Amino acid sequence: MASTPRRTVVITGGTSGLGYHCAIKIARQKPSYDIILASRTDPNSAAESINKLLGQKNVSFLRLDLSNLVLVRSFVAEFEAGAHPPIEALILNAGSQFPDDVQYTKDGFESTFAINHLGHALLFSLLLPSLSDTARIVVTSSGTHDPAQKSGLPDAHYTTAEDLAHPTPESARNPGRQRYTTSKLANVLWTYALHRRLQQLNADKGRFWTVAAFDPGLMPGTGLLREAGAFTRFIWHRVLPKALPILRFLFSPNTHTPEESGAALSWLATGDDCKGTSGLYYEGKKAINSSNESYVEKKQEDLWSWTVKTIASDPSEQRRFEVVDI
């Protein structure tokens, strides 16, 4: 019997919440894989705790700050120096929400859009040479991107990538939670734009790369609202996790613990059942339609072209980041 090839799984935001529980599931099922938890911090020694829990040594932590494009490049350099096996699953999961006034990163981009989309797009582009021939990319979005789901958050609205990255005086007055829902819409737009390019690349190069977007549902108690006020954080961390049955009944059946959604995310990233599927949007383990706006190809292409132009440092990088010159 042939031995299982060594592969790598990279999970952004893997040290807590959804990403942490996804990492446990994959590490348990794939003990021969290198599992990389890529997060800004690891205050609770997540990688060490998973290794101890499973009696294994295949999980490690690498610092990744998605809000700083220079540090994203530093992460990739450190990853490549580690001589890891090819990446079988790249799980672009980390996310932030800034509910109050608009904030900007060191690079001058609006922080929600920068962390939830732009940093991830650069990470993917830089890691292209490290992907296995059967690599799967999973992007954690959110049902809040779809106004039809009536999440209670302001409706997402995509104008242009430039406006999201550098808000005008008028758009800077938009609610912070709308910037979040729109960044989650951007995740789906980018997924569909990437899918088209992967289809062509796979046909030209004989690869089998796939991409999917994922909605984990409402998960009270995660670190998503770490930038919110003290009272909101108290409700989110202390009250709502104890009221899941009520939330499922009154708000949405798509309400889960991080463990439940982490299991669904691990299935989507590494499960045999969905292997080969691409360009789909999943609510948990079920493929569903995303928002009407997410299917507007003009908006997908605006986001894609602006992103590549912004993150590429020279013409050769731009050709590679377009996923044509691989």
Side-chain angles (χ1 to χ4, degrees):
M1 181 180 296
S3 60
T4 302
R6 289 189 64 217
R7 290 290 185 262
T8 297
V9 174
V10 176
I11 309 172
T12 71
T15 58
S16 64
L18 173 66
Y20 175 76
H21 291 286
C22 173
I24 292 175
K25 194 77 172 180
I26 296 176
R28 178 181 285 119
Q29 294 175 340
K30 307 286 186 180
S32 66
Y33 282 22
D34 289 1
I35 314 298
I36 308 296
L37 310 185
S39 297
R40 186 173 54 182
T41 61
D42 187 18
N44 298 314
S45 302
E48 182 180 337
S49 72
I50 295 175
N51 286 330
K52 184 176 180 180
L53 173 69
L54 302 181
Q56 299 171 184
K57 297 181 179 180
N58 60 324
V59 183
S60 58
F61 166 75
L62 280 181
R63 185 175 183 273
L64 169 65
D65 186 346
L66 291 163
S67 72
N68 187 317
L69 298 185
V70 171
L71 295 181
V72 174
R73 290 180 178 274
S74 296
F75 168 88
V76 173
E78 185 176 0
F79 173 85
E80 292 173 342
H84 296 281
I87 296 172
E88 188 71 6
L90 176 59
I91 305 173
L92 305 177
N93 164 74
S96 289
Q97 182 181 136
F98 300 87
D100 298 319
D101 294 339
V102 62
Q103 297 187 36
Y104 295 91
T105 66
K106 184 177 180 180
D107 299 310
F109 302 112
E110 190 280 314
S111 293
T112 312
F113 180 71
I115 294 169
N116 296 356
H117 166 66
L118 194 58
H120 275 137
L122 177 60
L123 177 66
F124 162 78
S125 299
L126 292 172
L127 288 176
L128 279 170
S130 298
L131 299 181
S132 75
D133 285 346
T134 55
R136 182 133 175 101
I137 299 95
V138 179
V139 183
T140 297
S141 180
S142 168
T144 64
H145 90 279
D146 186 356
Q149 292 202 21
K150 302 185 185 305
S151 67
L153 296 184
D155 290 351
H157 179 57
Y158 185 94
T159 50
T160 66
E162 174 60 25
D163 187 37
L164 297 180
H166 302 113
T168 64
E170 180 181 359
S171 62
R173 293 195 293 269
N174 292 341
R177 288 187 172 88
Q178 185 179 54
R179 288 190 285 274
Y180 172 77
T181 59
T182 303
S183 75
K184 295 288 101 178
L185 171 59
N187 291 153
V188 186
L189 292 168
W190 186 81
T191 295
Y192 293 157
L194 175 58
H195 167 65
R196 283 196 298 277
R197 287 159 173 82
L198 294 186
Q199 284 185 304
Q200 187 61 54
L201 178 82
N202 290 342
D204 293 343
K205 305 291 185 178
R207 291 191 173 92
F208 301 92
W209 289 353
T210 59
V211 62
F214 175 71
D215 169 23
L218 179 66
M219 295 181 297
T222 64
L224 178 63
L225 299 187
R226 56 186 170 271
E227 303 294 338
F231 178 73
T232 300
R233 294 199 308 272
F234 174 79
I235 297 297
W236 180 252
H237 289 288
R238 301 297 183 184
V239 178
L240 294 184
K242 300 177 181 178
L244 292 187
I246 297 174
L247 290 171
R248 289 181 181 127
F249 179 73
L250 294 178
F251 179 70
S252 171
N254 189 27
T255 301
H256 307 284
T257 65
E259 293 91 339
E260 292 168 341
S261 292
L265 179 56
S266 71
W267 168 84
L268 184 57
T270 61
D272 291 335
D273 293 350
C274 53
K275 186 175 293 185
T277 62
S278 187
L280 298 177
Y281 174 84
Y282 287 81
E283 181 182 270
K285 292 185 177 182
K286 181 181 179 182
I288 67 170
N289 289 332
S290 52
S291 71
N292 291 337
E293 190 174 3
S294 69
Y295 292 107
V296 179
E297 189 168 323
K298 182 178 179 180
K299 295 186 177 186
Q300 297 168 9
E301 290 304 308
D302 172 80
L303 177 65
W304 181 272
S305 60
W306 181 93
T307 300
V308 169
K309 181 180 178 181
T310 300
I311 62 176
S313 63
D314 56 48
S316 64
E317 269 199 353
Q318 186 164 342
R319 287 193 298 274
R320 179 155 56 90
F321 289 3
E322 281 283 6
V323 198
V324 292
D325 187 15
I326 306 296

